[in-house]
Amino acid sequence: MSSMSLPVRVAAAKTLLEEAATEYDDLPAEQMVNLQEAIEFLDRLETSFPDEQSNG
């Protein structure tokens, strides 16, 4: 089990997907839509955490 908190893991996953979206901008449209939806989901999840949890 990872020592990172869930908010930290969500932020890391979102960052990874955002980087992939810019690096692989030649993905088929359906895959790019799925990627963007995943990023939006993680963004909503990230903002749902209380502020004190997102720092650590």
Side-chain angles (χ1 to χ4, degrees):
M1 188 173 196
S2 175
S3 62
M4 292 189 300
S5 67
L6 182 58
V8 171
R9 294 171 102 184
V10 168
K14 188 178 95 170
T15 298
L16 182 64
L17 291 179
E18 289 170 338
E19 290 173 0
T22 58
E23 286 183 40
Y24 301 103
D25 59 352
D26 58 341
L27 287 173
E30 183 178 349
Q31 289 180 347
M32 189 56 79
V33 167
N34 290 338
L35 188 55
Q36 289 300 326
E37 287 177 353
I39 292 167
E40 290 171 11
F41 170 79
L42 290 174
D43 189 47
R44 289 190 309 269
L45 183 59
E46 191 176 38
T47 60
S48 74
F49 295 121
D51 289 340
E52 63 272 7
Q53 285 187 348
S54 64
N55 293 329

